[in-house]
Amino acid sequence: MKKILFFGILACSLAFYACEKNGTDDTGGDEPPEKIDTIHLSDRSALATKVKVAFGIPVTGNIPSATAGNGAPVLVENKNIVNAISGRYIVITPSFSYFESTIKGYYVSIVGSGAYFKVDYSANRGFARKAPQVLQPLLREGDYVDSSIIVKLPKYIIGDTLSLTYAAYDSLGNISNQVKAYVRIHSQNGIADYQDFVGSWKVNRKTDVNGVWQNYYIPDTARSSFTCVGGKVQYCLNSQQECFEGIGAITGVTKYDLMFTDMNEYAELFSASATRVILETSTCDKLAYGTQVLSKLEKGGWSYNAESKIMTIVVDNNGLEYNNFYSYQVKILEMTPQQVTLMRVDNTSYTVELVRK
């Protein structure tokens, strides 16, 4: 049977094309004036006064030094670039190679700002926090080692890269080593250039490995062999048994809609269903089925580079469900006012078509 593809495609299909201004438009050759609250990334001190850090209190100076000796937490640096969109969120998930006591929070600094934030997970400063994990042998109740660092960016930013330094501290006062996070900031687009593409879209179809278009919503059907033992239905695993064939499962996508707003925000509504045989209620004369429906709503932001035709999507769920944070880029291949064809930058093995709703 074909494998269900919607989980792999879920992060691959989000984007749409925005066309450039008509070359005959008269812009006067002048750059648009900066907004009053525009921040330049080169002015790190000013940026530090404009960002908000979840559960964080601003402090002047440098992050405290690491605790000497054994027992302090040890952070591992992740050198992957974190994508973010101005006006939205930077989300960083720290990784540890060692920690002994409960992680209480972090020290977070924009490199070059001369200040830092003390993040305390026991405080509530207007951001959601991931619930403590259920107590297990290798986890401690109330341990926030899995929590992310969330930074809310100002809306108008000029510049595209910056780095953050952070360190963890535990309930015993031990401070970890400092590591960096590298961030690429994508600007919000002037919506006048993209107004035709604001609205609702449907993920319509995709190509297979041979480049042939496939209907995205045709269900996958799996057939299995069953047998009757003592009047009860079982899967037939023994070739010596008397078996009969039946439909074991039907799975498929039922809805995949996208909405892009004129505030560089998007919402993605995805649903799929899985219908499977229920052996306990099936009879030798008739198979019984149960259906499970998966539905998911995610939110984030988008930014488009008209020169490269690359769309950046950042899923941050408005900083609330930050465990699901991810980002990716897609390249626009072709567009009309009613249709967009695209492919993911890091996976060019297939293309996806969107149609306007």
Side-chain angles (χ1 to χ4, degrees), residues 265-310:
E265 297 178 339
Y266 89 89
E268 168 192 322
L269 178 60
F270 173 84
S271 64
S273 66
T275 300
R276 295 186 176 90
V277 166
I278 302 176
L279 295 179
E280 292 78 8
T281 56
S282 295
T283 67
C284 296
D285 298 324
K286 185 177 181 180
L287 296 176
Y289 295 88
T291 299
Q292 180 183 18
V293 177
L294 165 69
S295 184
K296 190 171 187 179
L297 174 65
E298 290 191 326
K299 298 180 180 180
W302 60 270
S303 182
Y304 180 70
N305 185 315
E307 182 176 354
S308 65
K309 296 184 179 180
I310 290 178

Side-chain angles (χ1 to χ4, degrees), residues 67-75 96-104 137-145 168-177:
T67 302
N70 298 325
V74 179
L75 282 166
F96 292 81
S97 65
Y98 172 83
F99 68 97
E100 188 172 81
S101 61
T102 300
I103 301 299
K104 188 177 180 183
L138 297 180
L139 294 174
R140 288 171 294 283
E141 184 103 32
D143 206 341
Y144 300 117
V145 67
Y169 65 95
D170 63 19
S171 58
L172 300 179
N174 296 312
I175 301 173
S176 77
N177 57 311

Side-chain angles (χ1 to χ4, degrees), residues 104-166:
K104 188 177 180 183
Y106 297 92
Y107 299 107
V108 183
S109 176
I110 296 173
V111 174
S113 67
Y116 66 91
F117 291 83
K118 183 178 181 180
V119 175
D120 182 357
Y121 286 130
S122 65
N124 185 350
R125 306 187 193 283
F127 286 79
R129 180 181 65 206
K130 185 178 178 182
Q133 298 292 318
V134 176
L135 186 63
Q136 298 177 12
L138 297 180
L139 294 174
R140 288 171 294 283
E141 184 103 32
D143 206 341
Y144 300 117
V145 67
D146 59 345
S147 292
S148 297
I149 296 170
I150 308 175
V151 181
K152 178 69 165 61
L153 291 168
K155 185 174 182 180
Y156 304 110
I157 296 177
I158 294 179
D160 58 5
T161 57
L162 78 154
S163 59
L164 305 176
T165 297
Y166 59 96

Side-chain angles (χ1 to χ4, degrees), residues 38-227:
T38 295
I39 296 295
H40 291 254
L41 286 184
S42 57
D43 190 347
R44 304 300 167 84
S45 297
L47 179 61
T49 66
K50 297 296 183 181
V51 301
K52 296 179 181 180
V53 179
F55 316 107
I57 297 176
V59 181
T60 302
N62 298 318
I63 292 177
S65 300
T67 302
N70 298 325
V74 179
L75 282 166
V76 178
E77 184 172 298
N78 184 348
K79 295 187 178 181
N80 293 331
I81 299 293
V82 176
N83 286 297
I85 293 174
S86 60
R88 298 192 65 84
Y89 300 87
I90 301 170
V91 181
I92 299 166
T93 303
S95 178
F96 292 81
S97 65
Y98 172 83
F99 68 97
E100 188 172 81
S101 61
T102 300
I103 301 299
K104 188 177 180 183
Y106 297 92
Y107 299 107
V108 183
S109 176
I110 296 173
V111 174
S113 67
Y116 66 91
F117 291 83
K118 183 178 181 180
V119 175
D120 182 357
Y121 286 130
S122 65
N124 185 350
R125 306 187 193 283
F127 286 79
R129 180 181 65 206
K130 185 178 178 182
Q133 298 292 318
V134 176
L135 186 63
Q136 298 177 12
L138 297 180
L139 294 174
R140 288 171 294 283
E141 184 103 32
D143 206 341
Y144 300 117
V145 67
D146 59 345
S147 292
S148 297
I149 296 170
I150 308 175
V151 181
K152 178 69 165 61
L153 291 168
K155 185 174 182 180
Y156 304 110
I157 296 177
I158 294 179
D160 58 5
T161 57
L162 78 154
S163 59
L164 305 176
T165 297
Y166 59 96
Y169 65 95
D170 63 19
S171 58
L172 300 179
N174 296 312
I175 301 173
S176 77
N177 57 311
Q178 297 181 22
V179 297
K180 285 187 178 181
Y182 303 90
V183 183
R184 179 172 292 118
I185 307 293
H186 301 268
S187 65
Q188 294 192 18
N189 299 117
I191 205 61
D193 295 343
Y194 308 96
Q195 190 64 48
D196 289 345
F197 301 91
V198 170
S200 297
W201 297 79
K202 173 185 176 181
V203 178
N204 190 43
R205 57 180 183 164
K206 70 178 190 67
T207 59
D208 60 16
V209 293
N210 298 314
V212 178
W213 285 107
Q214 303 292 317
N215 187 322
Y216 194 80
Y217 298 91
I218 294 179
D220 286 337
T221 300
R223 303 189 71 86
S224 299
S225 292
F226 301 92
T227 187

